[in-house]
Amino acid sequence: MKPSDNKFDVIVVGGGHAGAEAALASARLGVKTALVSQDKYAIARMSCNPAIGGLAKGQIVREIDVLGGIVGLAADAAGLQFKLLNRSKGRSVWSPRAQTDKRVYESYVLHLVETSENLTLLRGEVVDIIDKNYSVSGVILRNGERLASNTVVITCGTFLNGLIHIGNRKILAGRMGESNSVGITESLTRRGIKSGRLKTGTPPRLFKESVNWEKLDTVAGDENPVPFSYRTKNFNPPNIPCHIAKTNSLCHEIIYNDIERAPLFSGDIFSKGPRYCPSIEDKIFRFAHHESHTLFLEPEWRDSDQIYVNGFASSLPEDVQLNALRQVSGLEKAEFLRPGYAIEYDFFPPAQLKATLESKFINGLYFAGQINGTSGYEEASGQGLVAGINAAKLFLRQKPLTLRRDEAYIGVLIDDLITKDTMEPYRMFTSRAEHRLLLRYSNADQRLAEKAKQYGLISDKFYDFLFNKLQATERLVENLNKCVSPNEINGTLSDINGTTIKHSQPARQILKRPGIKLAHLPKRFTENNDHSNFDKHIIDEIHTEAETIIKYAGYIVRQYEQIERLKSQDKLSIPRDFNYLSINSLSNEAREKLDFVKPETLGQAIRVSGVTPADVGVLSVMLYKSK
Amino acid sequence: MNYDTIVAPATPYGIGGIAVVRLSGPQSLLIVNKLINNNDLRLKLKPRHATLVNLQDENSVAIDESIVTFFETPNSYTGEDLIEISCHGSPVVVDKIISTCCHFGARIADPGEFTKRAFINGKMDLVQAEAVASLIHSQSVESSQLNLRLLHGELSTKLNNLRQKLIDAVSMVEFELDISEDELQPDLNSHVLAIVAEQSQQIHELLSSYKQARMLNHGALVVIAGPPNVGKSTLLNTLSETDRAITSNLPGTTRDTIDVPLLLDGVPINLVDTAGIRQTVEELEQKGVNRTFNYLKKADLIILVHDPGEVETLYYNYPKNVPIIKIMNKVDLLTKTELDSIQTSHSKQLLISAKTGFNIKLLKQQIKTSLRISSSLSDNITITTSRQQRALKQCFNNINTTIELLNSQRSAYELISIELREALDAIGAILGKTTPDDILNNIFNQFCVGK
């Protein structure tokens, strides 16, 4: 190797969802990037469920897409079935999800990584970082080789000191069958960065042939699927069903009788697991009155002989898992390809990061993904994208990208991470966003296209497309100020039991009524709107958005007013060296929490857990004093 | 300097000769002009001139005649446009002025906020920063302690219950929006409606109790009761420092009730002396006893009097929700030894002598404490400050909008969630913040989540 071969502008450690997104984002910004992974065939590996998107996560995928990321494109390419969830509920919680072919997904991303300009994929295990005067300057591999770079993104997933539990069996691994990674945690804690331990789990995989499929119901996707990515062309996915099985009392009894053998119950595991994704033993223990739990049998890839048993995460001994599962109708002869397991791993409490995902202690060192205490491919990808962009921006000496809570779920995600205590792996929920109504999957472009352009994250062509789409939406909304006459609309109104009108009225007034859709209005409102160059699903989305903007106008204004009120607090920055411990008027809890978190702005300080409005009042006075 | 306009009483809460309300911020003048009834005086407030005006609320209902003084920025306490309204010292008037100001766009100031603004606007020396900070701290500690005191009884239980019910309702909604991938549950609407309709009723009761503000407006009803001839009338005379009640050593001297309004260290009370309770055949006396019973039901506080000779006999069930101070009168007739022994045997009773004035100061203290501390002054009156009232009003509006949304069958649950969260935020102004994590925790506790 020539010396220059070992020198990069940005190094990304780990090639999971966060790592791949980070490396690609950095490379797109034109800086020389290295992606270091133990195994090139594990790039963007879907370790757990074979699906992308879902409630709140689908919105994140859309945001990543508008910011130039790839998870949406990959999911569209790999999708086995697509579904827009929550269709019967409110518009802001409509969320796209796809069951995906893991192999296609992984090879799609690998292909992008291998063919991307400015990006080098290196095989190796990083065991240490090199730093000087609180700035990172490179990494050291297990074989002693050194790579130089002033910006490093750490995305090690569950690999750091990963420990798998199956009953009382313990295996050192990062994922089943892949060795874990030792050294980075120790290297970072030596430098004063705090670490913690979390736990997550995954269900068993079954041999396809061992399932009696005849006995199971099927669930298919939507008949008119919508792609995640605005850039996906020729979208024509299959609609491959998954299957539903139901647990029963016999199954529950077997688990209940041996529940002590699960490491969480026996006391082998102390780390906190995700409550939103409980193991089957946990569900049976805590909700004993539930007679049955639904299991989804999902293929891991097209024609896969490996079946994912969604809903049966477990760390019970293999024999108990298998025995219990065999009580379920259709699974009487089930055979494991591998049992479910729990895994414990190191994470670094993310309150030690800035909103850019850069460490507050070591310049140039970024963290993204599960090591920040999150869970989920989408959460990891979103962080990876932001960390990768900002690593490149740091090298380029350009302004870093931060996202606000009111403009993206990724903004909510990162702000929560850096201000709140991490008690369990963090998963996005729409209810975490106080401005949920503004964060729709169908308006990610409205929210983020300008920023994407401003930071140079997307091509002119893509931006122009988004711009045209937004213009079309605005024109349509404007158009709906025009009036409809009683003649035109009363027929429709009486058909759906609505009150008829006596005089002409602006169309938007009619549209505001419950149950009225754009399609109920005369065709002239939608027809003369020059949509000809858009695909049908884009036109549908323009219509949905126009409807939403009008129907929710009052609430949308309310949310914007709230945002305005809070904005000044987020503008007021707090010096890094601000001494909280010396302010006696702060409550003890606030003093300690603020000293640990070291918020960057007054807005962040307010959201730190345990900080009261009185503390914020004191803080703002002291901030003025220090100015 | 882009602040909103804040308003708060500058004088302590309670009845006094004059109370002062202060507004500070860019909208102060605009807001106060909207309260001024006299057309000719509107928009003509001169800086540093006291102007007598009639104030009215947003519905043009007269509030009070007050003196308004305008301090123009930067020559004011806070450095902003500041207005002082000197009104008559009744909590009802003060609250009305404040709520009208809020209606026109002001916001109730946080503890120490006037001082904080003064500091920020350079009206104070920099070395005073620490002092300001600790002032904010101490005021908020004080106000939270005050809140705790106010909230330690029924109101606290009621509000906490209310909050928990609202969290339950939000959790149901959020479970559907955030976790469940199934179709919307058909009975979600009726479940949420049942919860919020009940809470709406509860808040309505609380709010109407405040409107009456009966106790502070007309004085708390303190009823002296007990068997005949224990010195009730003497006690009334002593407490009111008058000779209103005729006293004698004959049982049954007082046949009618006697009502004396008085200020007990600034707390307005109506002190009522009643006919002694005993079984009687005499018609006139029986009528007096009946009247006593009626008063007891309405009382905010009962002073139950006995004397050492009287065995405590409970021939009447005193209303359970009214605080009672039990006293033993005529201890001046006892020897020192008797006094000591009775002090141990009747430790829950306050020993006094209405005749000599022994322990009367202590009794006055207890009357005041009982009236202020107990949130169950009467079953209705539970909220006491304009901050609480505004919070509950906000909450009430949100809940009623929720009910409208539920009844419109729009299944607009994300809007319902916004309304319920705002309702919770409003209660948060009294009880502390409800965070998204509180809601998620509740969901994880109550629902079996995860595939």
Side-chain angles (χ1 to χ4, degrees), chain B residues 256-288:
Chain B
D256 203 352
T257 47
I258 292 168
D259 184 335
V260 185
L262 63 114
L263 276 178
L264 205 71
D265 298 339
V267 178
I269 62 173
N270 280 314
L271 195 59
V272 178
D273 181 23
T274 59
I277 300 169
R278 64 169 173 184
Q279 295 197 313
T280 175
V281 287
E282 200 194 325
E283 200 185 339
L284 196 61
E285 193 182 345
Q286 184 57 50
K287 272 190 179 162

Side-chain angles (χ1 to χ4, degrees), chain B residues 232-422:
Chain B
K232 297 188 290 298
S233 301
T234 313
L235 180 61
L236 176 116
N237 288 343
T238 308
L239 282 174
S240 64
E241 292 161 27
T242 60
D243 286 324
R244 275 291 306 278
I246 300 161
T247 55
S248 79
N249 56 4
L250 289 173
T253 308
T254 308
R255 302 221 161 169
D256 203 352
T257 47
I258 292 168
D259 184 335
V260 185
L262 63 114
L263 276 178
L264 205 71
D265 298 339
V267 178
I269 62 173
N270 280 314
L271 195 59
V272 178
D273 181 23
T274 59
I277 300 169
R278 64 169 173 184
Q279 295 197 313
T280 175
V281 287
E282 200 194 325
E283 200 185 339
L284 196 61
E285 193 182 345
Q286 184 57 50
K287 272 190 179 162
V289 172
N290 287 344
R291 275 182 76 101
T292 303
F293 285 3
N294 287 336
Y295 263 104
L296 288 175
K297 281 181 205 155
K298 289 192 291 184
D300 294 317
L301 174 68
I302 297 170
I303 300 177
L304 188 55
V305 188
H306 289 279
D307 70 15
E310 184 77 19
V311 188
E312 194 182 335
T313 41
L314 279 176
Y315 31 77
Y316 178 66
N317 284 332
Y318 294 96
K320 285 201 180 69
N321 47 8
V322 181
I324 295 180
I325 300 176
K326 290 183 179 173
I327 60 172
M328 178 157 300
N329 193 16
K330 301 188 185 175
V331 297
D332 53 306
L333 301 176
L334 302 177
T335 65
K336 177 87 176 66
T337 338
E338 284 170 330
L339 190 67
D340 285 347
S341 96
I342 217 158
Q343 216 142 24
T344 30
S345 61
H346 293 71
S347 61
K348 279 183 183 163
Q349 298 194 9
L350 179 65
L351 309 185
I352 65 156
S353 166
K355 200 167 167 186
T356 66
F358 174 71
N359 269 351
I360 289 298
K361 210 171 161 190
L362 199 58
L363 174 62
K364 284 185 176 175
Q365 197 62 44
Q366 282 203 10
I367 294 174
K368 262 174 57 188
T369 337
S370 302
L371 283 174
R372 185 172 301 176
I373 286 183
S374 170
S375 60
S376 51
L377 290 168
S378 86
D379 199 29
N380 286 327
I381 296 189
T382 39
I383 57 172
T384 48
T385 69
S386 51
R387 193 184 282 272
Q388 293 171 355
Q389 189 224 12
R390 283 199 67 78
L392 279 176
K393 247 190 190 163
Q394 172 70 45
C395 183
F396 190 59
N397 291 342
N398 289 127
I399 288 182
N400 287 344
T401 313
T402 305
I403 294 174
E404 275 168 38
L405 286 168
L406 286 164
N407 285 332
S408 74
Q409 303 290 336
R410 267 204 278 187
S411 72
Y413 287 103
E414 55 202 330
L415 306 186
I416 288 168
S417 164
I418 291 180
E419 296 293 346
L420 289 176
R421 279 158 186 262
E422 281 191 12

Side-chain angles (χ1 to χ4, degrees), chain B residues 206-226:
Chain B
L206 280 172
L207 280 173
S208 50
S209 75
Y210 181 79
K211 268 186 212 150
Q212 299 163 6
R214 177 175 54 84
M215 200 185 68
L216 288 162
N217 218 354
H218 304 294
L221 186 60
V222 178
V223 178
I224 304 176

Side-chain angles (χ1 to χ4, degrees), chain A residues 55 85-86 88-93 97 275-276 278 283 286-287 290 293-294 296 298 310-311 420 424 427 429-432 436-437 512 514 552 555 558-559 562 582 585 614 617-618 620-622 624-625, chain B residues 3 116 119-120 126 129-130 132-134 136-137 140 174 176-184 398 401 405 408 410-411 413-415 417-419 421-422 436-437 440-441 444-451:
Chain A
L55 302 180
L85 302 174
N86 266 352
S88 63
K89 302 165 194 173
R91 287 153 187 270
S92 67
V93 293
R97 184 191 55 200
R275 286 174 303 170
Y276 46 82
K283 285 193 266 190
R286 291 188 49 221
F287 296 92
H290 286 213
H293 298 277
T294 305
F296 291 82
E298 298 165 354
N310 203 342
K420 304 243 169 354
E424 66 183 326
R427 190 210 127 134
F429 290 101
T430 63
S431 59
R432 296 194 195 269
R436 168 163 66 193
L437 218 51
K512 271 178 175 269
Y552 287 5
Y555 281 88
R558 235 159 95 180
Q559 297 226 307
Q562 216 173 38
S582 71
S585 339
V618 169
S620 63
V621 165
M622 300 315 288
Y624 278 101
K625 178 191 170 188
Chain B
Y3 296 111
K116 181 175 138 192
F119 168 71
I120 287 169
L126 275 183
E130 270 288 5
V132 176
S134 46
I136 291 172
H137 180 66
S140 71
E174 290 301 347
E176 282 300 319
L177 295 181
D178 231 7
I179 312 257
S180 162
E181 293 176 5
D182 299 331
E183 287 298 294
L184 206 56
N398 289 127
T401 313
L405 286 168
S408 74
R410 267 204 278 187
S411 72
Y413 287 103
E414 55 202 330
L415 306 186
S417 164
I418 291 180
E419 296 293 346
R421 279 158 186 262
E422 281 191 12
D437 280 333
L440 282 168
N441 288 342
F444 295 142
N445 283 334
Q446 300 204 347
F447 297 94
C448 182
V449 303
K451 273 185 179 168

